[in-house]
Amino acid sequence: MSDASLLGVAALLVLAGAAVSLALARWRRPAGWVATGFVVAAAVPAWLVVVRTFAGGGWVHPTSVGLPSLGARLNIAVDPLSAFFLAVLATVAPLATLYSVEYMTHYRRDGVAKFYPVLLVFFAATAGVLVVDDFLFFLVFWELMTLSGFFLVVFERDSAVSQRAGLKYFVITHAATLAMVAAALVVWRRTSSFAFADLGRGVDGLLAGQPLIGHLVLFLFALGFATKAGVLPMGDWLPDAHPVAPSGVSAMLSGVLVKLGIYGLLRLLVPFLPVGPAAPVWGAAIALAGTASLFVATLTALRQSDSKRLLAFSTIGQIGYVVLGIGVAVAMLPAHPTVASLALLGALLHVGGHACAKACLFLGAGALLYRTGERDLRRLAGAGAVMPVTAASATTAALSISGVPPLAGFASKWLIIGACLLAGFVAPLYLVLALVALFISLVTLALFVQLLGSVFLAAPAPPRPAAEVPGSMAVPQAVLAGLTVAIGLVPFALLAPLRDAVAVVLPTAVPAAAELAGGPLGLVLRVDGRALAFWAPLVVVAVAVLVALLVHVLARRATAGVREVPVWHCGEEHDLAAVQVPVGGMYLPFKRAFEGIYPRVAVRAPRFPPWLRRVLDLDTWLYGPAARALGRGAAGVARSHVGIPQVYLLWIVIGAVAVVGLLLGLLGTGGAP
Amino acid sequence: MTAVLLLLVVVPALAAVVAGSLRSDAARRVVAVVAAGVVAVLALAVLPAALRAPVLVELGDVPWLAGLVEGPMFGVLLDPLSAVLLLVAAVIGFLTVLYSTGYLREANRDHPVGHEGQARYYFWLLAFLASMTGVAVAPSFLQLLVFWELTTVCSWALISFRQDGPSLAAGFKALVMTHVGGAFLLTAVLVLFAVTGSFGFDALARLPDQLRPWVFLMLVVAAWAKSAQVPLHTWLPDAMAAPTPISAYLHAAAMVKAGVYLVARAASSGWAMPPRVAVVLGAMAVVTMFVALSYYFVQDDLKRLLAFSTIAHLGYVLLGVALGALGSLTAFRGGVLHIACHGFAKATLFLCAGAIAYVTGSRSIAALGGLARTMPLTAAAFFTGVLAVAGLPPFACFWSKFMILSGAMELRGPVGPVVLVLVLVESLVAFAWLLHVGQKVFLGAPTPAAAVHSDPPAAMSVVLVVLMIGCLVVPAVAMPLVLGLVR
């Protein structure tokens, strides 16, 4: 079966699933299982297409749908870049749907008729964004994705917070999309075609002929996609929207939707950027934006007490890493393409790793919410004993995001920061950015230690979760955590596909995967053939496991007993709750130092000038007076009808005389022979 | 073909008389629905013919002008442009009649209608349907004028349907303002006849250069009055005193579209519109869009808000036509497509407002909230309408707005980017406000007004479902017609 038909099958399955789950919506669990079944069934052909594309290269399948008068045609086009993001979607989506089956039962007032169908349309739209190569149809799927995301975010109808968050999300992203529409139309003016390749040529033409307009177009594209990706300050919608959605949806939003913003940057910005003197400027700008985002967001996350809001800020931070990698890639492209390839490689790997890890964390936060009804970290404590799977998955995912070896986040951050440091030899700015990124990595670790420590490890306090979450909610978390471990242990397995994806984005030649960063047992940072650094996770893990086994064996053979004593509190007996460091009490100097780092800007609605309102009110000063004047005039004329017959006879006589006189006059002048 | 086109006018006219004179309400409804259904089916059936073989048949003339007039006086015309108007007028007309059978009941909490109003209502509604199809198939300005004034009369009668103080005043105001437009149209037609000896659409191209701008300007002013554009826009918000199906049909989908149809017809017959007139038309369209936008934020009545939105969207059509007259065929096609797309989208919104008013008795945005719990279908239809009107893909108005913007960018000079920025800003603000209103009314915590237990009647729900499908499908149906418009 051809790849295009496989994708068609997947799309049909998802849409059929939407229809069937709508019909079954009265029964929550069956609707959920049906939806999950259809999504899993659709993920299979999607994965097939992904694997075949990586093996055989990109392909294009033209369809007959299009608007030739506008130069737009719907082609199904999958290349390694699309395939990578499609793989991320096809992994997280079935797991999030499976998770939602049980999770949605905890919403008492809101039914699932407005959940599963919309969720499946969301999946279909997201896949649609990835497989088109024409801007008009890209826009159609992009907006469909945004609007289905809106309806998922506002799922909790009664909550004013949800409604406000949804409105903010939709309006901000729609504004960004309209900016992109403007940019595309400016380029279309030159090319009369919306195909991505033609748009690229058009941008080149603009940069050569009208560079100011060309750079404005690039800026608008960057703005549009960066808003969707959640880069600050446009990404302000993210901390409001991600927490209020149902947790399966939050996982999709943080795991997949923001990655689509990155996809847009890689598809419609980076290939269009000029490989010339402007590239280092653009690269520096992008890298600075990414670094600012990761700095502000992670420090703000430190102060959050709502578990999901904390995770949302962490998402903004991690996207900052990806954007930093992209910035380094753009800057280094003209002179040092190898470093550029490494940076982009790291960015893409980070996309994959973060998608799995953040989705896992949101599912974990949702699991806690499901069992305790609580999102406030100050009130959650000691769930680890009762919820071991959730605790283990969340811990793994959190450590991955913090960049702890040998997990996925470490491999990708190693690549990004390594490339950034290498770039620092050329331009010292990147050295500073790399140091900031390293520092924030530490802050991220501190953030998650705080989160995990208080939620899972502290002594239990009410509200206590009664038990672990059901299997259908635990399995997705475990699978996602397992994926971060797998990616972390064997990152070189992904090198070849990722290298193909990088080659799609960067216009210059990218070295083969093995030369780029591949090594016998791990990753190697190589520049001009010289290996500068290596990371061999399997070796490290093997050594660690051996040492752990050794320690375990020795401990078993030890003969000295273990003495249990209460914790020493300097001689006084204290209640554990009184001396336990609460979540709000950790890292206080940092929190105080960076108090105002996320500025709150009061936006006042503009007032419409009253004088203009009066001018525009035509009824009051124009039509009303005119009508009244007409009425008065008519009344005046009416007064001439006095009702006395003699006066009317006088009118008739005067009129007859006048008419006869006029006729005689006209005949006289006209009739002369 | 000629017979079919004539039937489009004759069937609803006869049905109007029959429905007006029947004594039984049930029989009256049946006659009305059947007649409107026949018109809709016939209209859809002739659409393919409009593309393949445009038709212009002269059927007669006025005895005392025989021999003095060249070109058509009375007859029928079918070409892509008239087919688009016919599509909107006939299909939404049928849906409106069907909706009215459910809406005009005693159970209507906003506007209970007993036996005594039914005959009047259906008579005038079917008469309007006949007048509208008459406008669509008119082959000359003279016939267009006749049916144009008939639509004015029907609109007056239907706006004042309730016959209380405010609706009588609103009906009179609408009559006077649109009739002023009609006077401009009459003057233009007479000047055209006096100078070229013809009433036909293509006679415009034969006007001498000094006279042409004035005739076109008069036609444009007539359209401004009929389509409620600045400065003649004040009648439309007051016309919301009409029953909601009338607001949906006349004042969103059909009668106001007659004005923009006139300008589109004048612009495309010979492409003779002088550039200065086109610039004035386009500039006033943009001014109208922003003036209407400025009124959104102070509206509490849902129907008045939708009325201002209609005013803005008619500005879009005129902007497309103006850009078309300046040289961009894509923009012209976009403007004409917007006639169809906006008609369906706005009708959806108005009929949802009608459903809300029927069930809750309230049209106040401040008083309503959380209605999606008890009226989920209406909520779905309303949001579909909002997304369609705001121009979000894949819904209807996205395609037409995109074509207008692309067309603007096709023109040389600063016109393109200026129009682009202005239209996108207006789109964004209007979208944000309509979404906010939709959220306020349907989502959120339920207010006391929303504690209703009844659903709107089946007739109304079925129409809403059909319109929702229309919001997605109508671009596909109308696009071939629109692509048939050529220079």
Side-chain angles (χ1 to χ4, degrees):
Chain A
M1 211 184 210
S2 82
D3 289 333
S5 3
L6 278 176
L7 281 179
V9 166
L12 275 173
L13 281 170
V14 171
L15 293 174
V20 174
S21 55
L22 180 63
L24 293 177
R26 187 137 30 117
W27 305 278
R28 283 176 196 250
R29 279 197 189 84
W33 283 112
V34 163
T36 310
F38 274 99
V39 174
V40 169
V44 169
W47 262 106
L48 263 177
V49 169
V50 167
V51 167
R52 277 156 68 157
T53 306
F54 278 133
W59 52 269
V60 179
H61 176 88
T63 68
S64 53
V65 177
L67 280 175
S69 55
L70 284 180
R73 158 150 263 113
L74 176 64
N75 295 333
I76 310 295
V78 179
D79 59 18
L81 183 68
S82 315
F84 174 68
F85 282 90
L86 197 59
V88 171
L89 173 68
T91 310
V92 180
L95 294 170
T97 320
L98 175 62
Y99 179 91
S100 301
V101 175
E102 272 300 327
Y103 185 80
M104 298 311 288
T105 60
H106 108 261
Y107 285 100
R108 292 271 137 254
R109 299 253 301 154
D110 295 293
V112 295
K114 52 186 189 286
F115 182 74
Y116 290 112
V118 181
L119 186 67
L120 268 62
V121 167
F122 175 76
F123 293 156
T126 311
V129 170
L130 294 171
V131 302
V132 296
D133 69 351
D134 173 281
F135 185 79
L136 182 59
F137 291 98
F138 178 87
L139 192 65
V140 171
F141 285 113
W142 183 264
E143 289 276 44
L144 195 58
M145 182 178 75
T146 304
L147 78 90
S148 45
F150 165 76
F151 284 110
L152 291 170
V153 167
V154 297
F155 176 76
E156 245 183 301
R157 297 282 193 247
D158 287 344
S159 156
V161 173
S162 296
Q163 302 306 317
R164 199 180 150 71
L167 183 67
K168 193 171 172 184
Y169 157 64
F170 208 172
V171 173
I172 293 182
T173 43
H174 190 61
T177 309
L178 290 180
M180 291 200 294
V181 168
L185 279 172
V186 169
V187 180
W188 179 82
R189 206 183 204 188
R190 284 185 86 100
T191 65
S192 299
S193 160
F194 281 112
F196 288 158
D198 294 326
L199 285 181
R201 278 194 284 276
V203 171
D204 282 339
L206 269 177
L207 286 170
Q210 295 165 290
L212 203 63
I213 309 281
H215 284 291
L216 179 67
V217 162
L218 289 170
F219 174 71
L220 288 175
F221 275 124
L223 195 74
F225 289 119
T227 306
K228 186 62 131 212
V231 175
L232 293 175
M234 296 82 63
D236 186 48
W237 59 271
L238 210 153
D240 293 327
H242 286 203
V244 298
S247 298
V249 172
S250 301
M252 283 301 301
L253 291 177
S254 263
V256 177
L257 189 65
V258 296
K259 309 301 188 290
L260 271 270
I262 301 293
Y263 172 77
L265 284 175
L266 292 175
R267 180 69 78 189
L268 279 174
L269 178 70
V270 176
F272 293 175
L273 284 173
V275 183
V281 179
W282 269 102
I286 297 174
L288 276 168
T291 314
S293 204
L294 66 90
F295 187 76
V296 170
T298 316
L299 286 169
T300 315
L302 212 49
R303 296 203 336 265
Q304 301 304 317
S305 57
D306 177 337
S307 63
K308 288 175 77 172
R309 206 173 155 83
L310 186 151
L311 293 173
F313 274 108
S314 163
T315 299
I316 302 181
Q318 297 305 309
I319 290 295
Y321 274 97
V322 176
V323 174
L324 172 63
I326 296 177
V328 170
V330 169
M332 292 291 115
L333 192 55
H336 305 276
T338 320
V339 176
S341 312
L342 281 171
L344 202 52
L345 198 68
L348 282 174
L349 188 59
H350 201 70
V351 162
H354 178 253
C356 297
K358 192 46 69 62
C360 180
L361 280 172
F362 267 109
L363 297 185
L368 287 167
L369 183 59
Y370 179 79
R371 278 298 184 213
T372 64
E374 211 34 269
R375 264 167 43 186
D376 192 333
L377 292 170
R378 294 169 293 204
R379 290 208 273 272
L380 284 167
V386 185
M387 304 174 76
V389 177
T390 307
S393 315
T395 308
T396 315
L399 291 177
S400 168
I401 291 191
S402 313
V404 172
L407 299 168
F410 176 77
S412 50
K413 281 192 186 179
W414 188 78
L415 280 169
I416 294 176
I417 297 180
C420 205
L421 284 169
L422 286 173
F425 287 116
V426 175
L429 169 69
Y430 296 101
L431 199 56
V432 173
L433 296 183
L435 290 173
V436 171
L438 274 171
F439 168 66
I440 293 297
S441 217
L442 276 177
V443 174
T444 317
L445 181 60
L447 175 71
F448 282 109
V449 161
Q450 166 189 284
L451 174 71
L452 296 169
S454 62
V455 171
F456 290 120
L457 293 180
R464 277 200 59 153
E468 178 61 273
V469 285
S472 66
M473 286 171 74
V475 163
Q477 298 181 62
V479 168
L480 287 167
L483 278 172
T484 62
V485 173
I487 297 175
L489 284 179
V490 287
F492 41 86
L494 287 181
L495 264 186
L498 286 176
R499 179 256 160 216
D500 289 337
V502 167
V504 169
V505 178
L506 296 181
T508 60
V510 175
E515 290 170 29
L516 185 58
L521 285 168
L523 299 173
V524 179
L525 271 185
R526 221 181 257 110
V527 176
D528 299 332
R530 290 175 324 171
L532 293 175
F534 73 92
W535 161 242
L538 287 176
V539 170
V540 168
V541 167
V543 166
V545 164
L546 275 176
V547 168
L549 268 176
L550 194 60
V551 167
H552 178 76
V553 163
L554 286 175
R556 288 285 290 276
R557 284 164 163 254
T559 49
V562 177
R563 187 167 61 117
E564 295 274 352
V565 293
V567 179
W568 173 249
H569 295 302
C570 302
E572 295 184 19
E573 294 290 326
H574 284 289
D575 184 19
L576 191 58
V579 295
Q580 194 168 286
V581 181
V583 164
M586 292 189 183
Y587 316 125
L588 279 177
F590 264 122
K591 289 182 187 173
R592 289 201 193 104
F594 292 109
E595 187 117 28
I597 198 158
Y598 200 88
R600 302 236 123 252
V601 177
V603 176
R604 267 188 3 204
R607 259 173 35 91
F608 199 79
W611 61 267
L612 190 57
R613 179 70 66 210
R614 279 195 296 274
V615 164
L616 289 175
D617 191 5
L618 290 166
D619 273 342
T620 311
W621 62 267
L622 184 61
Y623 298 132
R628 282 192 289 278
L630 214 66
R632 281 195 297 274
V637 169
R639 274 200 288 278
S640 67
H641 283 264
V642 291
I644 302 173
Q646 290 87 334
V647 176
Y648 290 130
L649 278 172
L650 190 60
W651 280 109
I652 291 173
V653 167
I654 295 178
V657 166
V659 166
V660 166
L662 197 63
L663 277 175
L664 283 176
L666 283 173
L667 280 175
T669 54
Chain B
M1 177 54 65
T2 314
V4 170
L5 293 174
L6 277 176
L7 276 179
L8 284 172
V9 182
V10 166
V11 163
L14 280 178
V17 174
V18 169
S21 29
L22 281 177
R23 227 147 334 154
S24 146
D25 282 342
R28 190 185 346 267
R29 285 189 202 114
V30 167
V31 166
V33 170
V34 166
V38 165
V39 171
V41 165
L42 286 176
L44 287 171
V46 301
L47 285 187
L51 266 180
R52 278 194 323 265
V55 163
L56 174 65
V57 175
E58 296 180 35
L59 286 175
D61 47 23
V62 176
W64 58 89
L65 286 177
L68 286 173
V69 180
E70 49 177 293
M73 263 179 86
F74 296 108
V76 290
L77 165 72
L78 182 70
D79 69 357
L81 182 58
S82 62
V84 171
L85 188 65
L86 205 56
L87 170 69
V88 176
V91 175
I92 299 189
F94 166 66
L95 292 172
T96 305
V97 171
L98 187 57
Y99 185 94
S100 305
T101 61
Y103 188 81
L104 256 73
R105 305 255 178 187
E106 286 286 354
N108 188 333
R109 283 182 62 181
D110 180 51
H111 182 198
V113 177
H115 171 77
E116 64 285 354
Q118 305 272 349
R120 237 182 336 126
Y121 179 88
Y122 284 105
F123 169 74
W124 285 111
L125 181 56
L126 288 168
F128 176 81
L129 180 55
S131 324
M132 205 59 217
T133 49
V135 167
V137 302
S140 69
F141 278 114
L142 184 64
Q143 188 170 328
L144 185 78
L145 173 66
V146 169
F147 282 101
W148 171 287
E149 295 290 40
L150 280 175
T151 63
T152 301
V153 171
C154 296
S155 165
W156 163 75
L158 287 166
I159 294 175
S160 356
F161 177 72
R162 276 197 221 201
Q163 301 195 329
D164 59 8
S167 53
L168 285 172
F172 186 65
K173 184 175 177 185
L175 177 69
V176 169
M177 285 180 94
T178 46
H179 195 58
V180 164
F184 275 93
L185 176 60
L186 178 63
T187 315
V189 168
L190 287 175
V191 169
L192 185 69
F193 174 64
V195 173
T196 64
S198 168
F199 289 111
F201 296 132
D202 47 3
L204 281 174
R206 297 204 292 270
L207 283 171
D209 283 336
Q210 315 90 296
L211 208 51
R212 201 184 302 172
W214 298 106
V215 173
F216 268 98
L217 202 56
M218 282 193 280
L219 291 173
V220 162
V221 173
W224 281 346
K226 191 71 148 183
S227 300
Q229 300 290 287
V230 168
L232 292 159
H233 62 284
T234 54
W235 65 269
L236 192 61
D238 290 340
M240 295 298 118
T244 307
I246 300 305
S247 303
Y249 185 37
L250 271 70
H251 305 125
M255 188 184 95
V256 292
K257 297 294 198 292
V260 299
Y261 170 78
L262 173 69
V263 179
R265 178 65 75 190
S268 62
S269 302
W271 297 96
M273 186 182 270
R276 272 175 305 173
V277 175
V279 167
V280 167
L281 182 66
M284 285 309 288
V286 172
V287 167
T288 302
M289 287 198 284
F290 280 92
V291 166
L293 186 67
S294 74
Y295 278 101
Y296 283 17
F297 312 109
V298 296
Q299 300 306 320
D300 182 50
D301 182 343
L302 194 53
K303 279 179 69 178
R304 269 183 87 93
L305 176 66
L306 294 175
F308 281 109
S309 172
T310 304
I311 295 175
H313 278 269
L314 292 166
Y316 271 103
V317 179
L318 289 178
L319 178 64
V321 171
L323 291 170
L326 285 174
S328 163
L329 183 61
T330 310
F332 183 77
R333 286 173 170 166
V336 173
L337 185 61
H338 204 63
I339 293 179
C341 295
H342 172 254
F344 275 83
K346 197 46 72 57
T348 312
L349 286 172
F350 267 110
L351 295 184
C352 287
I356 296 174
Y358 183 101
V359 170
T360 65
S362 168
R363 284 180 352 213
S364 156
I365 296 172
L368 293 167
L371 275 175
R373 281 201 192 285
T374 42
M375 304 174 73
L377 180 64
T378 311
F382 191 87
F383 275 105
T384 309
V386 166
L387 293 172
V389 154
L392 258 77
F395 296 102
C397 294
F398 164 71
W399 304 97
S400 47
K401 275 194 193 181
F402 200 81
M403 281 179 85
I404 295 176
L405 288 175
S406 313
M409 291 305 279
E410 267 179 6
L411 297 173
R412 314 206 66 85
V415 172
V418 168
V419 164
L420 183 65
V421 169
L422 289 173
V423 165
L424 288 179
V425 165
E426 192 271 344
S427 273
L428 179 66
V429 177
F431 160 70
W433 188 257
L434 283 175
L435 187 67
H436 166 71
V437 166
Q439 264 197 322
K440 167 79 184 55
V441 168
F442 285 102
L443 309 180
T447 56
V452 294
H453 297 291
S454 55
D455 276 320
M460 292 162 67
S461 304
V462 162
V463 167
L464 287 178
V465 169
V466 172
L467 279 171
M468 275 205 287
I469 299 174
C471 281
L472 267 175
V473 159
V474 87
V477 172
M479 188 67 87
L481 291 171
V482 158
L483 290 175
L485 297 165
V486 290
R487 279 196 94 94

